[in-house]
Amino acid sequence: MNNPILLNGYTLSQKKNEDLKKILVKCPSLSLATILVGDDKASHIYVQAKIKACQNVGINPIPVFLSKDITEQELLKKIELLNNDSTVHGILVQLPLPDHLNSHKVLESINPKKDVDCFHPFNIGNLYAGVSDFAPATSVGIMMLLDSIREQWSIESKNVVIVGASNIVGKPTAMLLLQKEATITIAHKKTKNLKELCLTADLIIIAVGKVNLITKDMVRKGAVVIDVGMNRIQTEQGTKLVGDVDFENVKDQTFAITPVPKGVGPMTISALLYNLYFLYQQHYTKNNNDLR
Ligand code: GUN
């Protein structure tokens, strides 16, 4: 078989960011508020990466760092202020939140017109109803990667197995692929015969957080594999980032595969910036600059 196509999200995201940067020259005051509650190390790294990406394309980041002890009422008040601030175009609350805060309630308090993550029930509802393709950033990033090989591989009529039924990745990605007329199965921790199921797939998307969950014997020849997993493992050389796929052994089996790192991760950030631009176009330019 031919060498697999390496779906390099790092290179693609750089190109996408450059394209967006050119577009954003025309809207220099676009801004994104990033709310981080507490001092979770991984969340800090993600938020810093988002802030830097904003700066690189000409979006004004508004970093909001809040104490892990903040009350729900205080957090809702902060979001309300940002909702009512017409100089703020997008708001994201980094997840997970500390246990004493109700994530659903917090996400629901964000003005849907500023909901850059597409986590608000209003935006998710439109996605699930099939009336919008505005979607969470990881799902959009995955679609961008698949779109980059559309001339060799089309989504239509493909059998897709998504492993992981989260609201952030699995479920919204299923909805976007359904809109493209693929057939979707979402597997989760109680799914029986995962191996047999994966062997029916033209496309496997895995977002679980378990090293080597997808092995060579689970992937049919010529399948496309998208690995959303991000696991830090200890090696003799220090810590290393790996996905959920046994990449070295699986890759030759595939038509195309994402590496980890430099696969889905950078695309998620790029897609977030595109989501902000989408909201701006939808709600800001058309509605007399009134985001409230
Ligand atoms: N935590 C893990 N992924 C995400 C994401 O895409 N957005 C936010 N806000 N939090 C996350």
Side-chain angles (χ1 to χ4, degrees), residues 77-113:
K77 184 76 203 154
K78 182 72 204 169
I79 292 172
E80 192 190 335
L81 287 174
L82 294 166
N83 279 340
N84 291 330
D85 183 341
S86 62
T87 65
V88 175
H89 303 94
I91 302 168
L92 75 79
V93 176
Q94 187 65 25
L95 300 178
L97 285 170
D99 286 345
H100 68 282
L101 301 169
N102 179 334
S103 303
H104 187 72
K105 201 167 159 191
V106 170
L107 295 176
E108 216 177 1
S109 75
I110 297 174
N111 179 344
K113 293 178 181 175

Side-chain angles (χ1 to χ4, degrees), residues 35 43 46 50 92-96 107 117 119 136-138 168-169 268 272:
I35 301 178
S43 291
Y46 294 138
K50 291 172 189 183
L92 75 79
V93 176
Q94 187 65 25
L95 300 178
L107 295 176
D117 266 323
F119 290 165
T138 305
I168 295 183
V169 185
T268 297
L272 183 77

Side-chain angles (χ1 to χ4, degrees), residues 185-249:
T185 307
I186 305 182
H188 46 79
K189 59 178 178 294
K190 298 256 168 111
T191 297
K192 287 191 280 187
N193 305 329
L194 184 62
K195 175 180 165 184
E196 284 70 29
L197 196 60
C198 286
L199 282 169
T200 67
D202 302 306
L203 167 62
I204 298 174
I205 297 174
I206 169 123
V208 170
K210 207 166 168 187
V211 179
N212 289 342
L213 186 62
I214 301 294
T215 47
K216 185 176 177 181
D217 57 328
M218 298 169 80
V219 180
R220 99 176 172 202
K221 277 207 165 61
V224 173
V225 175
I226 305 275
D227 189 352
V228 188
M230 288 222 251
N231 310 294
R232 262 171 223 286
I233 59 163
Q234 203 62 42
T235 68
E236 280 171 14
Q237 288 78 37
T239 60
K240 187 179 167 198
L241 191 65
V242 296
D244 294 345
V245 175
D246 177 10
F247 180 82
E248 279 311 316
N249 292 309

Side-chain angles (χ1 to χ4, degrees), residues 51-83:
I51 290 170
K52 191 158 167 247
C54 282
Q55 288 163 336
N56 286 343
V57 299
I59 292 168
N60 304 320
I62 305 173
V64 181
F65 296 106
L66 300 171
S67 155
K68 67 178 188 331
D69 300 319
I70 192 170
T71 65
E72 195 168 280
Q73 212 181 1
E74 287 167 334
L75 177 56
L76 294 176
K77 184 76 203 154
K78 182 72 204 169
I79 292 172
E80 192 190 335
L81 287 174
L82 294 166
N83 279 340

